Amino acid sequence: MRDLLGAEWLKARSQSLLPFLVVGGVVLATVVVLGLVSQGAADVSAGHDTVSNVTDQAVRYWMTMHLFSSLFGAVFVTGEYSSHAISRSVLLGGGRGRLFTAKALAGTAMGVVLGLITAAAAAASPWIFLPAYGLRPEWTTTTWQVLPGVFAVTVLAAPWGVLVGWICRNQTVAVGLLAVLTMAFEPYLFDLVPAIGKFMLTIAFASLYLDGDPELLSVPAALAVVAAWFAAAWIIARRLLTTRDIT
């Protein structure tokens, strides 16, 4: 199993799309944070906001990286179907179950790497952007709670993408599904029907980085919902892998 894990980790860090996903995530997060800080500075000047809240927002909205982390996970699996290398991977890996587990672990490991990059950027963000608008960051207990939440959702998104990749198999379908669920369907469902939408994975993630919406689940409840989504996806993905042709 150690050799298989090593091989999958090599595949993970050698993904040709990985640099583009990292750069894309950083660019999107930077644009979002800049917009929030600009508006926040205006609100602080008008007495409608606090510097501590703007600081929290500058950290919190690096959570946008979790979309790119999930896309990496999906591509990590579907890329092998696209290149028709999946049969060889199963054969060399010693079986479908072993490959399934190895990809989940390697995907999670890359999620940790992406999470560390995101957490570092998020921590530096207030000190880079707020002074440009004449604000001195105010790092509070809440900020310390937001930061690990941003890290956690970035890490968790990678194995989630892996599971979606196993379920969909097709790269375009998997990437499109993750993008639509994350950026459109789940947020809109939460806006329309919060009592249902708060149980969606993307919205449960929002509880972990303390988005602040009163309709959100508590952190312990959100963790339970995340675990349920992962358990369901794990069962479905493994079942489909073991019962369908792999070609």
Side-chain angles (χ1 to χ4, degrees), residues 28-239:
L28 177 60
T30 300
V31 170
V32 171
V33 170
L34 273 172
L36 289 168
V37 171
S38 175
Q39 182 60 52
D43 290 342
V44 169
S45 297
H48 301 314
D49 205 348
T50 63
V51 176
S52 61
N53 186 58
V54 177
T55 302
D56 292 344
Q57 295 287 70
V59 174
R60 180 177 291 116
Y61 278 87
W62 278 87
M63 60 81 187
T64 54
M65 280 291 289
H66 88 265
L67 170 61
F68 296 85
S69 183
S70 68
L71 294 181
F72 159 78
V75 170
F76 181 40
V77 174
T78 58
E80 296 219 35
Y81 283 101
S82 298
S83 65
H84 305 290
I86 188 66
S87 298
R88 182 179 60 187
S89 294
V90 169
L91 180 63
L92 295 177
R96 302 184 190 196
R98 283 168 56 87
L99 182 65
F100 182 85
T101 302
K103 280 200 176 292
L105 293 174
T108 303
M110 184 55 71
V112 172
V113 173
L114 294 174
L116 290 172
I117 293 171
T118 303
S125 187
W127 308 98
I128 295 173
F129 297 128
L130 267 68
Y133 293 91
L135 301 178
R136 179 179 177 81
E138 294 181 2
W139 196 281
T140 65
T141 300
T142 300
T143 319
W144 282 115
Q145 294 169 339
V146 168
L147 185 60
V150 171
F151 170 77
V153 299
T154 307
V155 173
L156 290 169
W160 175 252
V162 169
L163 294 173
V164 171
W166 281 121
I167 292 170
C168 294
R169 294 191 173 193
N170 181 280
Q171 188 164 299
T172 302
V173 172
V175 168
L177 179 63
L178 286 168
V180 169
L181 288 175
T182 302
M183 301 179 68
F185 178 76
E186 294 184 6
Y188 288 146
L189 179 62
F190 179 67
D191 288 340
L192 291 172
V193 192
I196 297 175
K198 65 184 178 182
F199 293 102
M200 298 295 101
L201 183 67
T202 301
I203 309 306
F205 277 171
S207 296
L208 303 187
Y209 53 78
L210 305 183
D211 184 79
D213 192 307
E215 299 284 353
L216 290 173
L217 296 168
S218 66
V219 172
L223 287 171
V225 168
V226 170
W229 276 104
F230 269 77
W234 182 281
I235 292 168
I236 294 169
R238 189 174 174 86
R239 174 68 176 171

